[in-house]
Amino acid sequence: MSDFLSADAASNSGSSPSTNNEPQTADISALAGDRTNPDPGKRPSGEAPLRLVETAFLASTASLIWLVNYYFPLGPLLRVFFPIPIALVYLRWGNRAAWMAALVSGLLLSVLMGPTRSILYVMPFGIMGVALGGLWRRKASWSLSVSVGAVIGTVGFFFRFWLLSALVGQDLWVYVTAQVTEMVEWLFVKLGWLNVPSLNTIAAIAAGMILVNNIVYLFVVHLVALLLLDRLGNPIPRPPSWVQVLIDYNDQA
């Protein structure tokens, strides 16, 4: 009887669970080894869809603001928001996303309003939004960003006149110079000057007025962006001290 128990114990010890499970453990380890762990240096997979959604949303927002202002003009109220959505895309996602947003806005407006009106948004406001976003992200001063934006706006104004003149078939700049001539002659009469300004002088005065108008416009855009983008978590560079005193702005950063 003791020999039978000893033989049974020996057989049980030879088939222990640890010995029998070794092939199964090896198979599980091999299966686990086939799965590659994600690279910790890569960005989260959810960032690309978020970038795509935000870019599309802000591009459609810019198009909607332009569309509403075209059919239901509210004066300068909506104009100050034209470049801000594209600039916000640059602040959040960089240069490529901002250009894509400007392109998508142009394509959307081309479908809704036609190619001509879509081009009038992309140039200058789409390009202006990209430029402002890049300057704000690099912490450029207000004087630089306002100047660059004003130059883009002035070039866009003359581009608009050139495009509309080509479509209409006549030079619309003549009407602008005629209006400026009347205003300058009235001013000369009030000042007691008897000489008549030349055509080149009239053109230079008109270009200067357009540039000044764009400088004022860009300054207002910066004020709106300062108040709006700070609350969205994407602040722009701080204004000069005299602007902070003028608007009673307290820097909370």
Side-chain angles (χ1 to χ4, degrees), residues 2 15 56 71 100 104 123 143 157 176 178 221-222 246 251 253:
S2 61
S15 60
Y71 289 107
M100 289 299 297
V104 170
M123 180 64 190
S143 58
F157 181 88
V176 177
V221 168
H222 277 65
L246 182 64
D251 191 358

Side-chain angles (χ1 to χ4, degrees), residues 43 47 50-51 54-55 58 85-95 97-98 133 137 229 232-234:
R43 294 182 177 180
E47 183 173 311
L50 181 61
R51 183 194 299 114
E54 286 193 2
T55 302
L58 291 172
I86 308 299
L88 180 57
V89 174
Y90 200 116
L91 290 175
R92 293 185 61 81
W93 300 111
N95 181 53
R137 191 168 185 176
L229 299 185
L232 295 177
N234 297 99

